[in-house]
PDB file of all heavy atoms in Angstrom:
ATOM      1  N   ASP A1416      90.059 108.290  85.328  1.00  0.00           N
ATOM      2  CA  ASP A1416      90.480 109.195  86.400  1.00  0.00           C
ATOM      3  C   ASP A1416      89.414 109.365  87.474  1.00  0.00           C
ATOM      4  O   ASP A1416      89.436 110.335  88.239  1.00  0.00           O
ATOM      5  CB  ASP A1416      90.881 110.563  85.839  1.00  0.00           C
ATOM      6  CG  ASP A1416      91.775 111.340  86.816  1.00  0.00           C
ATOM      7  OD1 ASP A1416      92.615 110.682  87.476  1.00  0.00           O
ATOM      8  OD2 ASP A1416      91.618 112.564  86.936  1.00  0.00           O
ATOM      9  N   ALA A1417      88.480 108.428  87.563  1.00  0.00           N
ATOM     10  CA  ALA A1417      87.503 108.454  88.652  1.00  0.00           C
ATOM     11  C   ALA A1417      88.140 107.841  89.893  1.00  0.00           C
ATOM     12  O   ALA A1417      88.861 106.834  89.807  1.00  0.00           O
ATOM     13  CB  ALA A1417      86.255 107.676  88.262  1.00  0.00           C
ATOM     14  N   THR A1418      87.879 108.431  91.043  1.00  0.00           N
ATOM     15  CA  THR A1418      88.478 107.942  92.280  1.00  0.00           C
ATOM     16  C   THR A1418      87.914 106.578  92.656  1.00  0.00           C
ATOM     17  O   THR A1418      86.694 106.396  92.720  1.00  0.00           O
ATOM     18  CB  THR A1418      88.227 108.933  93.430  1.00  0.00           C
ATOM     19  OG1 THR A1418      88.825 110.194  93.104  1.00  0.00           O
ATOM     20  CG2 THR A1418      88.819 108.416  94.740  1.00  0.00           C
ATOM     21  N   LEU A1419      88.822 105.657  92.902  1.00  0.00           N
ATOM     22  CA  LEU A1419      88.440 104.334  93.395  1.00  0.00           C
ATOM     23  C   LEU A1419      88.438 104.303  94.916  1.00  0.00           C
ATOM     24  O   LEU A1419      87.521 103.801  95.546  1.00  0.00           O
ATOM     25  CB  LEU A1419      89.399 103.268  92.866  1.00  0.00           C
ATOM     26  CG  LEU A1419      89.456 103.090  91.347  1.00  0.00           C
ATOM     27  CD1 LEU A1419      90.626 102.178  90.973  1.00  0.00           C
ATOM     28  CD2 LEU A1419      88.152 102.521  90.836  1.00  0.00           C
ATOM     29  N   ASP A1420      89.491 104.842  95.519  1.00  0.00           N
ATOM     30  CA  ASP A1420      89.619 104.879  96.978  1.00  0.00           C
ATOM     31  C   ASP A1420      90.867 105.684  97.309  1.00  0.00           C
ATOM     32  O   ASP A1420      91.740 105.902  96.453  1.00  0.00           O
ATOM     33  CB  ASP A1420      89.747 103.453  97.540  1.00  0.00           C
ATOM     34  CG  ASP A1420      89.559 103.393  99.050  1.00  0.00           C
ATOM     35  OD1 ASP A1420      89.006 104.364  99.621  1.00  0.00           O
ATOM     36  OD2 ASP A1420      89.955 102.387  99.663  1.00  0.00           O
ATOM     37  N   ARG A1421      90.955 106.113  98.538  1.00  0.00           N
ATOM     38  CA  ARG A1421      92.180 106.720  99.064  1.00  0.00           C
ATOM     39  C   ARG A1421      92.781 105.715 100.041  1.00  0.00           C
ATOM     40  O   ARG A1421      92.114 105.294 100.994  1.00  0.00           O
ATOM     41  CB  ARG A1421      91.893 108.063  99.741  1.00  0.00           C
ATOM     42  CG  ARG A1421      91.358 109.101  98.746  1.00  0.00           C
ATOM     43  CD  ARG A1421      91.160 110.456  99.367  1.00  0.00           C
ATOM     44  NE  ARG A1421      90.581 111.384  98.396  1.00  0.00           N
ATOM     45  CZ  ARG A1421      91.280 112.092  97.516  1.00  0.00           C
ATOM     46  NH1 ARG A1421      92.597 111.961  97.477  1.00  0.00           N
ATOM     47  NH2 ARG A1421      90.670 112.907  96.680  1.00  0.00           N
ATOM     48  N   VAL A1422      94.025 105.345  99.792  1.00  0.00           N
ATOM     49  CA  VAL A1422      94.606 104.183 100.468  1.00  0.00           C
ATOM     50  C   VAL A1422      95.976 104.492 101.048  1.00  0.00           C
ATOM     51  O   VAL A1422      96.606 105.496 100.696  1.00  0.00           O
ATOM     52  CB  VAL A1422      94.752 103.002  99.479  1.00  0.00           C
ATOM     53  CG1 VAL A1422      93.437 102.707  98.774  1.00  0.00           C
ATOM     54  CG2 VAL A1422      95.852 103.271  98.457  1.00  0.00           C
ATOM     55  N   LEU A1423      96.425 103.610 101.921  1.00  0.00           N
ATOM     56  CA  LEU A1423      97.826 103.558 102.318  1.00  0.00           C
ATOM     57  C   LEU A1423      98.486 102.487 101.456  1.00  0.00           C
ATOM     58  O   LEU A1423      97.993 101.355 101.380  1.00  0.00           O
ATOM     59  CB  LEU A1423      97.975 103.199 103.795  1.00  0.00           C
ATOM     60  CG  LEU A1423      97.499 104.250 104.802  1.00  0.00           C
ATOM     61  CD1 LEU A1423      97.664 103.741 106.220  1.00  0.00           C
ATOM     62  CD2 LEU A1423      98.261 105.557 104.621  1.00  0.00           C
ATOM     63  N   ALA A1424      99.574 102.846 100.794  1.00  0.00           N
ATOM     64  CA  ALA A1424     100.230 101.933  99.854  1.00  0.00           C
ATOM     65  C   ALA A1424     101.675 101.692 100.260  1.00  0.00           C
ATOM     66  O   ALA A1424     102.353 102.587 100.775  1.00  0.00           O
ATOM     67  CB  ALA A1424     100.177 102.495  98.439  1.00  0.00           C
ATOM     68  N   LEU A1425     102.120 100.474 100.025  1.00  0.00           N
ATOM     69  CA  LEU A1425     103.508 100.089 100.260  1.00  0.00           C
ATOM     70  C   LEU A1425     104.091  99.516  98.975  1.00  0.00           C
ATOM     71  O   LEU A1425     103.496  98.622  98.360  1.00  0.00           O
ATOM     72  CB  LEU A1425     103.590  99.023 101.358  1.00  0.00           C
ATOM     73  CG  LEU A1425     103.590  99.502 102.810  1.00  0.00           C
ATOM     74  CD1 LEU A1425     103.408  98.314 103.738  1.00  0.00           C
ATOM     75  CD2 LEU A1425     104.897 100.201 103.140  1.00  0.00           C
ATOM     76  N   TRP A1426     105.247 100.041  98.579  1.00  0.00           N
ATOM     77  CA  TRP A1426     105.973  99.521  97.415  1.00  0.00           C
ATOM     78  C   TRP A1426     107.254  98.875  97.930  1.00  0.00           C
ATOM     79  O   TRP A1426     108.084  99.511  98.578  1.00  0.00           O
ATOM     80  CB  TRP A1426     106.271 100.654  96.434  1.00  0.00           C
ATOM     81  CG  TRP A1426     107.486 100.471  95.554  1.00  0.00           C
ATOM     82  CD1 TRP A1426     108.559 101.312  95.464  1.00  0.00           C
ATOM     83  CD2 TRP A1426     107.744  99.398  94.635  1.00  0.00           C
ATOM     84  NE1 TRP A1426     109.473 100.835  94.560  1.00  0.00           N
ATOM     85  CE2 TRP A1426     109.000  99.658  94.029  1.00  0.00           C
ATOM     86  CE3 TRP A1426     107.044  98.255  94.268  1.00  0.00           C
ATOM     87  CZ2 TRP A1426     109.564  98.812  93.085  1.00  0.00           C
ATOM     88  CZ3 TRP A1426     107.612  97.404  93.330  1.00  0.00           C
ATOM     89  CH2 TRP A1426     108.843  97.696  92.741  1.00  0.00           C
ATOM     90  N   MET A1427     107.420  97.546  97.663  1.00  0.00           N
ATOM     91  CA  MET A1427     108.560  96.791  98.192  1.00  0.00           C
ATOM     92  C   MET A1427     109.249  96.046  97.059  1.00  0.00           C
ATOM     93  O   MET A1427     108.733  95.024  96.565  1.00  0.00           O
ATOM     94  CB  MET A1427     108.072  95.797  99.264  1.00  0.00           C
ATOM     95  CG  MET A1427     107.468  96.475 100.479  1.00  0.00           C
ATOM     96  SD  MET A1427     106.604  95.329 101.590  1.00  0.00           S
ATOM     97  CE  MET A1427     105.089  95.065 100.658  1.00  0.00           C
ATOM     98  N   PRO A1428     110.393  96.546  96.597  1.00  0.00           N
ATOM     99  CA  PRO A1428     111.122  95.854  95.530  1.00  0.00           C
ATOM    100  C   PRO A1428     111.654  94.497  96.010  1.00  0.00           C
ATOM    101  O   PRO A1428     112.048  94.353  97.167  1.00  0.00           O
ATOM    102  CB  PRO A1428     112.278  96.809  95.195  1.00  0.00           C
ATOM    103  CG  PRO A1428     111.906  98.118  95.826  1.00  0.00           C
ATOM    104  CD  PRO A1428     111.068  97.797  96.999  1.00  0.00           C
ATOM    105  N   GLY A1429     111.668  93.513  95.114  1.00  0.00           N
ATOM    106  CA  GLY A1429     112.249  92.216  95.428  1.00  0.00           C
ATOM    107  C   GLY A1429     113.773  92.301  95.391  1.00  0.00           C
ATOM    108  O   GLY A1429     114.337  93.315  94.960  1.00  0.00           O
ATOM    109  N   PRO A1430     114.489  91.292  95.857  1.00  0.00           N
ATOM    110  CA  PRO A1430     113.951  90.004  96.323  1.00  0.00           C
ATOM    111  C   PRO A1430     113.628  89.959  97.814  1.00  0.00           C
ATOM    112  O   PRO A1430     113.190  88.923  98.300  1.00  0.00           O
ATOM    113  CB  PRO A1430     115.085  89.034  95.987  1.00  0.00           C
ATOM    114  CG  PRO A1430     116.324  89.858  96.169  1.00  0.00           C
ATOM    115  CD  PRO A1430     115.964  91.248  95.715  1.00  0.00           C
ATOM    116  N   GLY A1431     113.865  91.055  98.530  1.00  0.00           N
ATOM    117  CA  GLY A1431     113.653  91.039  99.968  1.00  0.00           C
ATOM    118  C   GLY A1431     112.203  91.225 100.358  1.00  0.00           C
ATOM    119  O   GLY A1431     111.868  92.107 101.153  1.00  0.00           O
ATOM    120  N   THR A1432     111.322  90.412  99.814  1.00  0.00           N
ATOM    121  CA  THR A1432     109.897  90.463 100.130  1.00  0.00           C
ATOM    122  C   THR A1432     109.402  89.061 100.473  1.00  0.00           C
ATOM    123  O   THR A1432     110.139  88.080 100.330  1.00  0.00           O
ATOM    124  CB  THR A1432     109.086  90.999  98.935  1.00  0.00           C
ATOM    125  OG1 THR A1432     109.228  90.090  97.827  1.00  0.00           O
ATOM    126  CG2 THR A1432     109.559  92.380  98.514  1.00  0.00           C
ATOM    127  N   ALA A1433     108.155  88.968 100.892  1.00  0.00           N
ATOM    128  CA  ALA A1433     107.609  87.669 101.281  1.00  0.00           C
ATOM    129  C   ALA A1433     107.654  86.668 100.135  1.00  0.00           C
ATOM    130  O   ALA A1433     107.938  85.483 100.324  1.00  0.00           O
ATOM    131  CB  ALA A1433     106.174  87.827 101.781  1.00  0.00           C
ATOM    132  N   THR A1434     107.389  87.134  98.904  1.00  0.00           N
ATOM    133  CA  THR A1434     107.385  86.234  97.747  1.00  0.00           C
ATOM    134  C   THR A1434     108.725  86.181  97.024  1.00  0.00           C
ATOM    135  O   THR A1434     108.908  85.346  96.147  1.00  0.00           O
ATOM    136  CB  THR A1434     106.311  86.667  96.735  1.00  0.00           C
ATOM    137  OG1 THR A1434     106.624  87.991  96.273  1.00  0.00           O
ATOM    138  CG2 THR A1434     104.919  86.650  97.354  1.00  0.00           C
ATOM    139  N   GLY A1435     109.628  87.097  97.362  1.00  0.00           N
ATOM    140  CA  GLY A1435     110.882  87.200  96.624  1.00  0.00           C
ATOM    141  C   GLY A1435     110.752  88.012  95.352  1.00  0.00           C
ATOM    142  O   GLY A1435     111.712  88.126  94.587  1.00  0.00           O
ATOM    143  N   GLU A1436     109.576  88.588  95.100  1.00  0.00           N
ATOM    144  CA  GLU A1436     109.317  89.381  93.903  1.00  0.00           C
ATOM    145  C   GLU A1436     108.965  90.812  94.298  1.00  0.00           C
ATOM    146  O   GLU A1436     108.692  91.106  95.460  1.00  0.00           O
ATOM    147  CB  GLU A1436     108.143  88.786  93.116  1.00  0.00           C
ATOM    148  CG  GLU A1436     108.333  87.354  92.676  1.00  0.00           C
ATOM    149  CD  GLU A1436     107.080  86.801  92.005  1.00  0.00           C
ATOM    150  OE1 GLU A1436     105.964  87.217  92.360  1.00  0.00           O
ATOM    151  OE2 GLU A1436     107.239  85.963  91.108  1.00  0.00           O
ATOM    152  N   ASP A1437     108.949  91.708  93.301  1.00  0.00           N
ATOM    153  CA  ASP A1437     108.426  93.046  93.542  1.00  0.00           C
ATOM    154  C   ASP A1437     106.998  92.926  94.058  1.00  0.00           C
ATOM    155  O   ASP A1437     106.182  92.170  93.506  1.00  0.00           O
ATOM    156  CB  ASP A1437     108.426  93.860  92.244  1.00  0.00           C
ATOM    157  CG  ASP A1437     109.836  94.206  91.775  1.00  0.00           C
ATOM    158  OD1 ASP A1437     110.790  93.954  92.542  1.00  0.00           O
ATOM    159  OD2 ASP A1437     109.973  94.720  90.651  1.00  0.00           O
ATOM    160  N   THR A1438     106.704  93.667  95.112  1.00  0.00           N
ATOM    161  CA  THR A1438     105.411  93.526  95.769  1.00  0.00           C
ATOM    162  C   THR A1438     104.823  94.887  96.109  1.00  0.00           C
ATOM    163  O   THR A1438     105.538  95.803  96.504  1.00  0.00           O
ATOM    164  CB  THR A1438     105.544  92.698  97.065  1.00  0.00           C
ATOM    165  OG1 THR A1438     106.097  91.418  96.745  1.00  0.00           O
ATOM    166  CG2 THR A1438     104.202  92.510  97.750  1.00  0.00           C
ATOM    167  N   VAL A1439     103.507  94.986  95.965  1.00  0.00           N
ATOM    168  CA  VAL A1439     102.753  96.172  96.367  1.00  0.00           C
ATOM    169  C   VAL A1439     101.631  95.735  97.287  1.00  0.00           C
ATOM    170  O   VAL A1439     100.994  94.700  97.052  1.00  0.00           O
ATOM    171  CB  VAL A1439     102.170  96.920  95.147  1.00  0.00           C
ATOM    172  CG1 VAL A1439     101.134  97.959  95.576  1.00  0.00           C
ATOM    173  CG2 VAL A1439     103.284  97.583  94.346  1.00  0.00           C
ATOM    174  N   GLU A1440     101.415  96.508  98.352  1.00  0.00           N
ATOM    175  CA  GLU A1440     100.244  96.289  99.202  1.00  0.00           C
ATOM    176  C   GLU A1440      99.404  97.551  99.227  1.00  0.00           C
ATOM    177  O   GLU A1440      99.925  98.653  99.447  1.00  0.00           O
ATOM    178  CB  GLU A1440     100.658  95.910 100.628  1.00  0.00           C
ATOM    179  CG  GLU A1440     101.129  94.485 100.769  1.00  0.00           C
ATOM    180  CD  GLU A1440     101.332  94.070 102.212  1.00  0.00           C
ATOM    181  OE1 GLU A1440     101.096  94.923 103.115  1.00  0.00           O
ATOM    182  OE2 GLU A1440     101.727  92.921 102.450  1.00  0.00           O
ATOM    183  N   LEU A1441      98.123  97.392  98.971  1.00  0.00           N
ATOM    184  CA  LEU A1441      97.164  98.490  99.015  1.00  0.00           C
ATOM    185  C   LEU A1441      96.245  98.278 100.208  1.00  0.00           C
ATOM    186  O   LEU A1441      95.493  97.293 100.254  1.00  0.00           O
ATOM    187  CB  LEU A1441      96.341  98.533  97.719  1.00  0.00           C
ATOM    188  CG  LEU A1441      97.135  98.635  96.414  1.00  0.00           C
ATOM    189  CD1 LEU A1441      96.198  98.538  95.217  1.00  0.00           C
ATOM    190  CD2 LEU A1441      97.935  99.938  96.380  1.00  0.00           C
ATOM    191  N   HIS A1442      96.315  99.162 101.169  1.00  0.00           N
ATOM    192  CA  HIS A1442      95.481  99.078 102.363  1.00  0.00           C
ATOM    193  C   HIS A1442      94.277  99.990 102.133  1.00  0.00           C
ATOM    194  O   HIS A1442      94.330 101.202 102.361  1.00  0.00           O
ATOM    195  CB  HIS A1442      96.277  99.488 103.601  1.00  0.00           C
ATOM    196  CG  HIS A1442      97.415  98.568 103.909  1.00  0.00           C
ATOM    197  ND1 HIS A1442      97.576  97.944 105.123  1.00  0.00           N
ATOM    198  CD2 HIS A1442      98.454  98.138 103.133  1.00  0.00           C
ATOM    199  CE1 HIS A1442      98.658  97.182 105.095  1.00  0.00           C
ATOM    200  NE2 HIS A1442      99.209  97.289 103.895  1.00  0.00           N
ATOM    201  N   CYS A1443      93.193  99.355 101.674  1.00  0.00           N
ATOM    202  CA  CYS A1443      92.000 100.095 101.253  1.00  0.00           C
ATOM    203  C   CYS A1443      90.959 100.100 102.373  1.00  0.00           C
ATOM    204  O   CYS A1443      91.081  99.400 103.382  1.00  0.00           O
ATOM    205  CB  CYS A1443      91.380  99.431 100.013  1.00  0.00           C
ATOM    206  SG  CYS A1443      92.541  99.055  98.687  1.00  0.00           S
ATOM    207  N   HIS A1444      89.900 100.872 102.157  1.00  0.00           N
ATOM    208  CA  HIS A1444      88.720 100.719 102.984  1.00  0.00           C
ATOM    209  C   HIS A1444      88.095  99.348 102.675  1.00  0.00           C
ATOM    210  O   HIS A1444      88.165  98.865 101.549  1.00  0.00           O
ATOM    211  CB  HIS A1444      87.719 101.844 102.715  1.00  0.00           C
ATOM    212  CG  HIS A1444      88.218 103.179 103.188  1.00  0.00           C
ATOM    213  ND1 HIS A1444      88.913 104.046 102.379  1.00  0.00           N
ATOM    214  CD2 HIS A1444      88.138 103.770 104.404  1.00  0.00           C
ATOM    215  CE1 HIS A1444      89.253 105.129 103.053  1.00  0.00           C
ATOM    216  NE2 HIS A1444      88.789 104.988 104.299  1.00  0.00           N
ATOM    217  N   GLY A1445      87.481  98.726 103.708  1.00  0.00           N
ATOM    218  CA  GLY A1445      87.126  97.322 103.586  1.00  0.00           C
ATOM    219  C   GLY A1445      85.731  97.005 103.108  1.00  0.00           C
ATOM    220  O   GLY A1445      85.241  95.895 103.351  1.00  0.00           O
ATOM    221  N   GLY A1446      85.083  97.923 102.412  1.00  0.00           N
ATOM    222  CA  GLY A1446      83.766  97.629 101.867  1.00  0.00           C
ATOM    223  C   GLY A1446      83.845  96.764 100.620  1.00  0.00           C
ATOM    224  O   GLY A1446      84.822  96.815  99.869  1.00  0.00           O
TER     225      GLY A1446
END
């Protein structure tokens, strides 16, 4: 339960995604 980062997240169920699969994108800080 230690904080890794605070992010913007996108949850996109398939098949309507770039890969055709369930997809998640985590927009993190870039360090």
Side-chain angles (χ1 to χ4, degrees):
D1416 200 37
T1418 299
L1419 298 170
D1420 193 18
R1421 296 184 183 275
V1422 307
L1423 292 178
L1425 276 169
W1426 153 237
M1427 296 169 284
T1432 63
T1434 62
E1436 302 175 329
D1437 291 351
T1438 302
V1439 167
E1440 284 189 0
L1441 304 175
H1442 296 235
C1443 312
H1444 292 92

